[in-house]
């Protein structure tokens, strides 16, 4: 698929809004047919693995691997992740890394995000020069999934700006899964619902979380997220 931005976007307005607080929310990012196709692909044609951090170590496990663990080991893993989360550290959600050599829709997407035109556009919108590449992952937050408060600063990866392309149709804010922003001292600021075909773009220094998806959410929270980084 030849991905492109919605031609109705006001790029100057987006840039000026981002400059005010180093973050911006953009509605109707993609043409409707492209957003719908990508949403369907994430929902029906993408395999995910549970991502988590435990005792300072990042881990991933497939649903089959998780179910195959002895009950004691499975409970130890989950309870360990939840215990850390109660202290404000960690995450539990499903992800699928998107790579430049991927075939199909996700391959088309990551190559578009890494194109010279897109990197130049991000420089225009954010005022950051010398973008070199984009990291991307497909994410699926099911009931009970979460991402605790953190910053996205990773010096060795040269991350500059984080992005989230929201792809869940008809999401209701009561279902959770909100992109919650905080002051540096932990005081909550505002929260952005993952409205379909919207883009959340923010400097990696912003403290943020993804709030826990409600037990009554009827569908998972789907998105493509990642970071634009320097050369």
């Amino acid at each position: 698929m030849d991905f492109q931005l919605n031609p109705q976007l006001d790029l100057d307005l987006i840039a000026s809004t981002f400059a005010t607080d180093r973050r911006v929310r953009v509605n109707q990012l993609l043409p409707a047919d492209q957003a719908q196709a990508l949403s369907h692909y994430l929902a029906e044609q993408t395999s995910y693995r549970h991502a988590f951090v435990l005792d300072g170590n990042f881990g991933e496990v497939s649903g089959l691997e998780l179910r195959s663990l002895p009950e004691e080991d499975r409970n130890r893993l989950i309870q360990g992740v939840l215990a850390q989360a109660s202290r404000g550290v960690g995450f539990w959600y499903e992800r699928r890394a998107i790579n430049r050599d991927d075939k199909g829709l996700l391959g088309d997407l990551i190559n578009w995000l890494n194109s010279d035109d897109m990197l130049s556009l991000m420089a225009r919108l954010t005022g950051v020069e010398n973008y070199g590449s984009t990291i991307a992952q497909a994410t699926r937050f099911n009931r009970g999934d979460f991402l605790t408060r953190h910053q996205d600063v990773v010096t060795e990866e040269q991350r500059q700006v984080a992005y989230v392309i929201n792809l869940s149709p008809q999401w209701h804010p009561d279902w959770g899964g909100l992109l919650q922003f905080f002051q540096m001292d932990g005081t909550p600021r505002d929260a952005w619902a993952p409205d379909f075909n919207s883009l959340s773009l923010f400097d990696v220094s912003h403290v943020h979380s993804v709030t826990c998806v409600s037990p009554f959410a009827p569908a998972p929270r789907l998105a493509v997220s990642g970071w634009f980084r320097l050369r």
Side-chain angles (χ1 to χ4, degrees):
M1 179 177 288
D2 183 16
F3 281 98
Q4 57 185 300
L5 293 177
N6 178 355
Q8 302 300 316
L9 295 179
D10 186 336
L11 300 180
D12 290 335
L13 177 60
I14 294 170
S16 64
T17 303
F18 186 88
T20 300
D21 190 30
R22 305 296 297 167
R23 59 181 188 147
V24 66
R25 189 179 190 190
V26 180
N27 293 318
Q28 302 303 315
L29 176 72
L30 302 170
D33 61 333
Q34 295 190 356
Q36 290 163 2
L38 189 53
S39 175
H40 181 268
Y41 196 91
L42 294 188
E44 303 294 339
Q45 297 175 258
T46 303
S47 297
Y48 300 87
R49 295 172 64 85
H50 295 278
F52 61 91
V53 62
L54 186 60
D55 299 328
N57 297 311
F58 174 81
E60 286 189 356
V61 60
S62 70
L64 177 60
E65 291 168 341
L66 186 63
R67 292 189 297 271
S68 298
L69 286 175
E71 183 176 1
E72 181 179 352
D73 293 342
R74 183 169 62 250
N75 289 340
R76 183 182 300 113
L77 169 61
I78 295 173
Q79 292 307 314
V81 170
L82 295 179
Q84 285 188 168
S86 72
R87 301 188 294 272
V89 177
F91 49 83
W92 181 271
Y93 63 91
E94 291 184 306
R95 71 181 294 273
R96 194 270 203 198
I98 305 176
N99 302 306
R100 295 290 296 273
D101 58 356
D102 283 338
K103 305 299 182 184
L105 210 58
L106 295 184
D108 294 342
L109 178 66
I110 188 62
N111 282 291
W112 175 63
L113 291 172
N114 276 285
S115 67
D116 289 341
D117 286 346
M118 180 57 69
L119 295 177
S120 295
L121 175 61
M122 284 300 113
R124 172 185 171 185
L125 296 181
T126 66
V128 178
E129 301 294 336
N130 297 318
Y131 285 120
S133 63
T134 311
I135 302 172
Q137 61 176 354
T139 65
R140 182 170 68 184
F141 282 68
N142 295 296
R143 297 170 182 169
D145 289 357
F146 61 90
L147 175 60
T148 60
R149 181 165 46 101
H150 65 288
Q151 293 173 298
D152 281 349
V153 177
V154 179
T155 303
E156 58 269 25
E157 291 188 6
Q158 292 290 295
R159 298 176 183 178
Q160 298 296 303
V161 175
Y163 68 91
V164 184
I165 303 171
N166 296 295
L167 293 161
S168 294
Q170 300 178 332
W171 191 264
H172 193 290
D174 285 349
W175 300 346
L178 308 179
L179 177 60
Q180 172 73 61
F181 290 97
F182 299 85
Q183 303 286 0
M184 292 300 293
D185 64 0
T187 302
R189 296 183 65 188
D190 50 358
W192 296 351
D195 296 333
F196 180 69
N197 196 19
S198 66
L199 168 71
S200 302
L201 190 68
F202 56 97
D203 189 282
V204 294
S205 64
H206 279 291
V207 182
H208 63 284
S209 71
V210 175
T211 64
C212 187
V213 174
S214 168
F216 54 78
R221 176 190 187 270
L222 302 173
V224 171
S225 63
W227 304 272
F228 289 95
R229 57 183 185 173
L230 299 181
R231 298 183 189 280

